């Protein structure tokens, strides 16, 4: 949408021109490179589309410079910075290349008055394409998750930080929280370099 942090990476096999500035994309894959955790159902009209051809390079920023507003001039590399073709921007980048991907396959089994068993599968930003390995690399200094229980209004009833991809919502916890249906459970992986990653969420209706 033009902001520094709200974007999605997509892939497609073919693009067919069907009208003026209008393409039909086929065999499309959305939410690549971990952007599935924040992609909208539909991008609004007039959103930007940028072709990634392998040429853009990462901007070298120290960890201490994350979140700080900096001045940039963007334009053709073959022209001087004061050329009219250049655009002046002030941006503060959060370093979302370090953000953990949202966990997947979040499941909850059980019922009120008994224990709810929660489990999920960890994903990774680092070397995750080796299909021969039993488990993808952790990619972080430690395995840690941020799990939240929310009521039907979105208010947080409980927060815990499991160190394994599972957690039990005991009946005693439910009674203490006063939880009723519907409620939701959401979980994110935590990075010591970034903080909370993107949350995966599941709603329990009874």
């Amino acid at each position: 949408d033009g902001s520094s942090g709200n974007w999605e990476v997509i892939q497609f096999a073919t693009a067919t021109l069907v009208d003026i500035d209008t393409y039909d994309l086929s065999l499309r894959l959305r939410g690549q490179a971990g952007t599935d955790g924040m992609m909208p159902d539909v991008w609004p009209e007039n959103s930007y589309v940028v072709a990634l051809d392998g040429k853009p390079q990462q901007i070298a920023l120290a960890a201490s410079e994350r979140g700080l507003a900096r001045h940039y001039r963007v334009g053709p590399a073959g022209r001087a910075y004061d050329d009219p073709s250049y655009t002046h921007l002030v941006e503060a980048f959060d370093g979302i290349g370090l953000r953990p991907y949202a966990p997947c396959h979040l499941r909850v089994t059980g019922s009120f008055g008994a224990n709810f068993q929660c489990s999920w599968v960890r994903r990774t930003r680092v070397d995750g394409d080796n299909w021969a390995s039993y488990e993808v690399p952790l990619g972080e200094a430690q395995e840690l998750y941020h799990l939240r229980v929310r009521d039907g209004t979105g208010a947080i009833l409980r927060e815990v930080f499991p160190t394994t991809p599972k957690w039990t919502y005991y009946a005693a916890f439910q009674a203490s929280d006063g939880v009723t249906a519907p409620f939701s459970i959401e979980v994110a992986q935590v990075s010591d370099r970034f903080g909370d990653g993107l949350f995966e969420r599941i709603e329990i209706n009874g």
Side-chain angles (χ1 to χ4, degrees):
D1 62 2
S3 64
S4 63
N6 194 26
W7 44 269
E8 173 193 355
V9 179
I10 70 170
Q11 291 177 282
F12 54 88
T14 60
T16 304
L17 183 65
V18 295
D19 203 341
I20 299 175
D21 294 331
T22 304
Y23 290 85
D24 180 27
L25 306 182
S26 61
L27 297 176
R28 184 186 61 181
L29 294 175
R30 295 195 60 185
Q32 299 299 287
T35 57
D36 58 297
M38 49 70 59
M39 68 181 190
D41 291 335
V42 177
W43 282 99
E45 193 172 346
N46 295 321
S47 295
Y48 293 92
V49 177
V50 178
L52 300 177
D53 57 5
K55 293 180 181 178
Q57 300 296 315
Q58 186 82 352
I59 296 175
L61 289 178
S64 60
E65 296 173 322
R66 284 177 47 204
L68 298 180
R70 296 171 63 91
H71 294 262
Y72 299 91
R73 292 191 63 80
V74 182
R79 299 184 182 182
Y81 294 136
D82 58 355
D83 189 90
S85 62
Y86 270 71
T87 300
H88 176 244
L89 299 174
V90 178
E91 292 284 355
F93 295 105
D94 293 327
I96 60 176
L98 301 173
R99 181 177 61 193
Y101 293 175
C104 60
H105 303 302
L106 175 57
R107 293 186 174 91
V108 176
T109 59
S111 60
F112 288 102
N115 299 335
F116 283 104
Q117 303 292 339
C118 310
S119 65
W120 56 90
V121 175
R122 172 174 58 79
R123 297 165 67 196
T124 185
R125 302 177 295 105
V126 182
D127 297 331
D129 291 329
N130 183 3
W131 291 89
S133 63
Y134 172 75
E135 180 72 275
V136 295
L138 179 60
E140 304 294 344
Q142 62 177 329
E143 186 169 6
L144 182 65
Y145 303 94
H146 185 184
L147 184 147
R148 300 188 292 216
V149 179
R150 294 183 182 270
D151 65 14
T153 69
I156 297 175
L157 301 178
R158 182 173 291 269
E159 286 186 285
V160 294
F161 293 87
T163 56
T164 59
K166 58 185 178 181
W167 180 70
T168 301
Y169 195 17
Y170 293 107
F173 291 172
Q174 300 170 39
S176 174
D177 297 339
V179 66
T180 58
F183 73 98
S184 63
I185 293 176
E186 58 186 19
V187 61
Q189 188 176 0
V190 180
S191 166
D192 61 341
R193 300 178 65 192
F194 184 86
D196 287 352
L198 295 168
F199 280 85
E200 177 70 2
R201 179 178 178 274
I202 188 171
E203 185 167 305
I204 295 91
N205 293 306

